[in-house]
Amino acid sequence: MKVIKNEDINTALINEKRIYLSGNLKEVNKIEHIQTDGYEMGISNYDKFTCERAHYHLYNFEFNYVLEGTVKVYIFSEKKEYILKNGDLFLIEPNMVYISKAIANTKVLFTKNPGGNDKVLTPEYEENIKDWMANW
């Protein structure tokens, strides 16, 4: 059995925006992760207001579970904003262009299946949503 202890996760999150708990990682990670193929899991840690860039995933299904705080997600194809809080789970499907932002002290557990870095930035989508990106 493989284990990552709570103390190790919390220590790794002190100065990190994102840590991976499992996956076949190509980049350095701040915690000893569990090596897996075909699946990734990690935690995004937003210690201050943060807006992620507009993007989509080529092949990953990304499940997100809000551990603490609040996240807003805007789905461009739906022209709709979602507000997600502690305990909410949401799924971003492949090729779904979206943008997200989080208030300070938000933590989100994410999983990606099948895993791997398939993020494609879409800055052209940000032109008409700059006010949304800058403010809560």
Side-chain angles (χ1 to χ4, degrees):
M1 182 170 84
K2 298 177 181 170
V3 175
I4 303 174
K5 300 294 263 178
N6 183 49
E7 312 83 73
D8 297 331
I9 293 169
N10 288 332
T11 299
L13 286 171
I14 289 173
N15 293 312
E16 293 300 316
K17 180 180 174 184
R18 185 168 290 123
I19 61 167
Y20 283 83
L21 304 172
S22 70
N24 185 5
L25 307 181
K26 307 286 187 253
E27 297 180 18
V28 175
N29 194 34
K30 296 296 181 183
I31 190 170
E32 187 68 33
H33 69 283
I34 297 170
Q35 181 66 31
T36 56
D37 290 321
Y39 181 79
E40 288 181 2
M41 176 188 282
I43 299 174
S44 295
N45 178 38
Y46 304 106
D47 60 346
K48 61 184 181 215
F49 169 78
T50 304
C51 185
E52 299 281 351
R53 301 289 310 273
H55 67 280
Y56 65 93
H57 295 279
L58 289 169
Y59 51 82
N60 273 308
F61 287 83
E62 183 177 333
F63 288 87
N64 295 269
Y65 180 76
V66 182
L67 296 167
E68 298 174 22
T70 305
V71 176
K72 288 184 181 179
V73 178
Y74 185 83
I75 306 297
F76 288 95
S77 62
E78 298 175 6
K79 297 181 179 147
K80 183 174 179 181
E81 174 187 82
Y82 294 85
I83 300 173
L84 305 143
K85 299 181 179 187
N86 299 29
D88 291 341
L89 174 73
F90 63 99
L91 168 64
I92 302 296
E93 297 180 43
N95 299 303
M96 179 181 281
V97 180
Y98 72 103
I99 192 166
S100 64
K101 58 187 176 181
I103 63 170
N105 302 312
T106 293
K107 287 187 176 80
V108 178
L109 176 74
F110 64 88
T111 67
K112 293 193 288 184
N113 185 3
N117 187 359
D118 67 338
K119 181 188 279 190
V120 178
L121 293 177
T122 55
E124 65 275 15
Y125 281 84
E126 297 173 4
E127 283 304 311
N128 297 323
I129 199 166
K130 289 186 181 201
D131 288 340
W132 187 91
M133 293 172 65
N135 303 295
W136 180 250

